[in-house]
Amino acid sequence: MNPSIEWLDQPEIFRVGRLDAHSDHINYSSKDMYEQKRSRVQNLDGIWDFCYSQNPQVRPKDFYQTDFDGSSFDTIRVPQHIEFSDYDTLHYINTMYPWEGKRYRRPDQTQGMFSQDPENPVGSYRLTFDLEEALLDRPVRIRFNGVEQAMYIWLNGEFIGYAEDSFTPSEFDLTPFLKANDNLLAVEVYKRSTAAFLEDQDFFRFFGIFRSVELIGENPIHLEDITVKPKVNSQEKTGKVAIELKVLRDEGACYRYTVQKDGHELLQKTSSEKMIEFELSDILLWDVTTPECYQVIVEILKDDKVISYTPVTFGFRELVLNDKVMYLNGRRLKLNGVNRHEWNAKSGRVITDEDEQFDIEFMKENAINAVRTSHYPNRLSFYDRCDHAGIYMMAETNLETHGSWQKMGAIEPSWNVPGDYPVWREVTLDRAISNYEWFKNHPSILFWSLGNESFVGETLKEMNAYYKKVDSSRLVHYEGVFYDEAMKPFISDMESRMYASPKEIRTYFKQDGQKPFILCEFMHNMGNSLGGLKEYMELYDEFESYQGGFIWDYIDQAILRKDPLTGQEVLRYGGDFDDRPSDYEFSGNGLLFATRQAKPSIQEVAYYYEKYR
């Protein structure tokens, strides 16, 4: 297939050549390789050749060809937002779409909307690489862990694929065009596509390759996907583990399944079946105080020899909704949470392992027991950290269409995305599917969230039904159904509100609220804020079905810049970059400054979250 720039304008084309999403496991060739942390992964992060273009019309169209003269290209670090290389404009905006007041755009009139836009910047990336020895003579795929906002990929002059969905990994098969040496990888990234309608989150609008890029060498018989579904029998303190594999090129293979805890083998079975179930006695349950993690290890054997070794972490926990109360392992669930953007003051949403580890430790130290991944999937590593630390997660689909239904502060859904538009159905459902498939094995995830502030409609109803169909062990969350009473029986297991006062919450329960109540956002921590948390926390004592919420938010979105007058580094917020339209200092709502220095308000949070844990 030949690529078309018109895909930028067509919501029904959001992936071409992209492999299906799958579990986030890592395959090793043997137990020794696992213990040495030597997987068949080649990291492509580093310095790439780069060209910035103001719009699609002036981009170097032939830059992907092997005989293209790229001597005029600049360089850029990957991962990095293009704006942090002094290209383009830093721009923060909350509810509106970034083109409001400049371009007239509607979701059902897309021809030429982005492909012909004179203000749609393009980043053209080139990298020449050799294959590492561990990847030679085997199938190889490439994984882009995060690219904003739409990308086209070529290898050695051959078109590989196209993808949107900025915050979910995208993988492509490189095998047909791959060489041992001197491979030319070319990636064309556009700041705007129809995906912009779906990614209207309250944040700085960046673009570029902002998470790691990796080559992944497949095993001869390749474990593509593993689904681990634990189930608890709380009366008998036993658990069942159902395991299902998806395997490529599996002729003549058999599988050895081992369940272990803290390195101690609990049971093992060898079978030719790719679906199997185990039962364990005297299980330990996963929760915030005792995050007991188990492992299932899948070994693929061919001719009695191990050719693949894959460990997957899981946990036993029982989340139920009974008589309008959510219970975890038989105890009423209390969510003393925060909303968390990924953020670093020096690099934006390009964060480090150290940032993640700090965040986990800070939450544990301050009695924060839950995090909402506002409003997109996070880096894969963060879910592992929450598993082992005992942090409850609300895993949010990469969806926010705020500007399509809230206009100039008014609720005005004469048109809204995805709504009931057939053309937006598949792309929206694909984001839910990807969110589930990548993260389905993590015990820390208690809730799937349909996204944030995207009003309501038939497509959201289908998303809810999808999550309920594939996963009975978790509940489904969505706040936007609040605006449509008729949809409430079909969307969200809980009544979710933003910034409802204690008085409004009492009114909900006195009027016989039919679902447990959470505040997916509350205590907006801007300026001298957080006073009044006591009144919310006391609701725990009044109503069994009140189950807490998530403070907005964890960390300021601000960027360190050197002040030209003083020469000192200072934090700059929305509007400080001549960005218009902007919501200005609204990017500063965190319990932490962007430098990860705690604000005084965390003292009140820690006190009441600990008191009502």
Side-chain angles (χ1 to χ4, degrees), residues 56-71:
Q57 289 69 50
V58 299
R59 77 192 193 282
K61 295 181 181 180
D62 298 330
F63 84 108
Y64 63 87
Q65 295 183 0
T66 55
D67 59 354
F68 178 83
D69 181 5
S71 59

Side-chain angles (χ1 to χ4, degrees), residues 23-239:
S23 53
D24 64 342
H25 64 276
I26 301 175
N27 295 320
Y28 298 86
S29 59
S30 67
K31 183 179 180 180
D32 286 344
M33 292 297 102
Y34 164 66
E35 291 175 344
Q36 297 173 37
K37 300 303 178 188
R38 290 173 58 190
S39 61
R40 291 193 179 100
V41 175
Q42 179 177 339
N43 191 282
L44 296 183
D45 294 353
I47 304 301
W48 294 38
D49 293 331
F50 179 76
C51 176
Y52 172 85
S53 304
Q54 183 63 42
N55 57 54
Q57 289 69 50
V58 299
R59 77 192 193 282
K61 295 181 181 180
D62 298 330
F63 84 108
Y64 63 87
Q65 295 183 0
T66 55
D67 59 354
F68 178 83
D69 181 5
S71 59
S72 63
F73 273 37
D74 200 351
T75 59
I76 194 171
R77 178 167 293 279
V78 171
Q80 186 179 65
H81 303 302
I82 289 172
E83 292 84 352
F84 278 72
S85 290
D86 296 326
Y87 293 106
D88 200 34
T89 304
L90 290 160
H91 187 190
Y92 166 74
I93 194 168
N94 177 17
T95 62
M96 292 191 294
Y97 286 115
W99 54 77
E100 296 294 347
K102 302 177 183 179
R103 298 281 186 276
Y104 178 84
R105 287 175 174 156
R106 293 293 181 267
D108 56 347
Q109 302 169 345
T110 59
Q111 186 174 2
M113 187 185 298
F114 299 103
S115 63
Q116 303 301 318
D117 185 0
E119 295 184 6
N120 185 11
V122 186
S124 302
Y125 295 78
R126 286 165 56 99
L127 177 72
T128 301
F129 67 89
D130 300 334
L131 279 182
E132 293 179 355
E133 184 178 354
L135 278 70
L136 291 172
D137 302 319
R138 63 180 62 249
V140 174
R141 63 182 62 188
I142 190 168
R143 178 186 295 171
F144 294 87
N145 284 283
V147 180
E148 291 182 278
Q149 179 175 71
M151 63 173 171
Y152 297 78
I153 304 107
W154 293 263
L155 181 69
N156 296 324
E158 301 290 343
F159 178 63
I160 299 297
Y162 171 81
E164 299 173 2
D165 197 352
S166 300
F167 297 92
T168 306
S170 293
E171 292 185 347
F172 302 86
D173 182 17
L174 299 184
T175 311
F177 310 113
L178 198 59
K179 304 182 297 182
N181 302 106
D182 296 322
N183 291 283
L184 174 64
L185 176 64
V187 185
E188 192 173 64
V189 180
Y190 290 81
K191 188 164 188 174
R192 299 276 182 263
S193 70
T194 50
F197 279 102
L198 303 175
E199 298 179 7
D200 192 36
Q201 288 95 333
D202 172 9
F203 58 16
F204 276 87
R205 309 305 167 101
F206 299 131
F207 87 115
I209 304 173
F210 72 98
R211 289 181 183 159
S212 288
V213 182
E214 301 159 318
L215 300 177
I216 301 170
E218 298 180 7
N219 291 317
I221 300 175
H222 179 72
L223 179 56
E224 177 73 2
D225 181 76
I226 177 170
T227 303
V228 182
K229 290 192 173 183
K231 190 173 182 179
V232 175
N233 185 329
S234 52
Q235 271 86 30
E236 299 180 11
K237 295 185 179 179
T238 62

Side-chain angles (χ1 to χ4, degrees), residues 525 527-531 533 590-592 598-606:
N525 192 43
N528 185 21
S529 192
L530 257 294
L533 180 59
L591 297 173
L592 300 169
K599 297 181 183 179
S601 55
I602 191 60
Q603 297 173 64
E604 184 163 2
V605 173

